[in-house]
Amino acid sequence: MERLKQAIRERGNVLSNEVLKVDTFLNHQIDVDLMAAVGKEFAQLFKEEGITKVLTIESSGIAPSFMTAADLGTPLIFARKKKSLTMNENVYVSKVYSFTKQETNEITVSKDFINENDTVLILDDFLANGQAALGLINIVKQAGANMAGIGIVIEKSFQDGRNQLEKAGYRVESLARIHSLENGHVTFVDELVTTNR
Ligand code: G4P
């Protein structure tokens, strides 16, 4: 998605060879107009899948997922990283290990909101090692619902996430795929020049 790639180039900040900061439009301040365009793109990509629910994880997944759900005309559910005061025991629980933070979090979703009649689209802001997406897939499986696929705003293709998800048999659609962040420069997968020699 060209507009997203332009935002990453112009408003992103490469912090290291592994980490891209995008708090100008996605992770802290949210560019609402850009998120609306992101939502349209995901809705277009998955419109044939009969999606009944969009599922993400708090907090940064919520903005792009909200816009996608609005376009698809479905509810949006976000998995919680901390159990809320009003949440009872009627929940699906899944463990998510973060390689970045080296900690395991339990994520929870109320059983009231996903069941075996649902077809679920999982969305997230970043795909790194795929652990968050795998945790969400585990919840969809516990619910006995169908998986439509996984939509990612920014994929770091030099990490193992896509490989993990495709190996597990899921469709992955990423709106921007980053090949490398080396030397402070963002290179996208579709900018790579292939030569036969
Ligand atoms: P994984 O789920 O793909 O395995 O990712 P990982 O554990 O490595 O990532 C942990 C957190 O860091 C996630 O957010 C993820 O979105 C974010 N993240 C990973 N790589 C980058 C990056 O290059 N740039 C930025 N900005 N974020 C990255 P989180 O802790 O759940 O945060 P939030 O959703 O509450 O904002």
Side-chain angles (χ1 to χ4, degrees), residues 59-72:
S59 58
S60 299
I62 295 176
S65 305
F66 181 91
M67 293 302 196
T68 307
D71 245 68
L72 287 169

Side-chain angles (χ1 to χ4, degrees), residues 1 4 6-7 42 64 71 92 99 132-133 135 176 181 191 193:
M1 184 183 170
L4 174 65
Q6 190 181 348
F42 280 134
D71 245 68
Y92 305 114
F99 288 102
L181 294 171
E191 288 171 345
V193 181

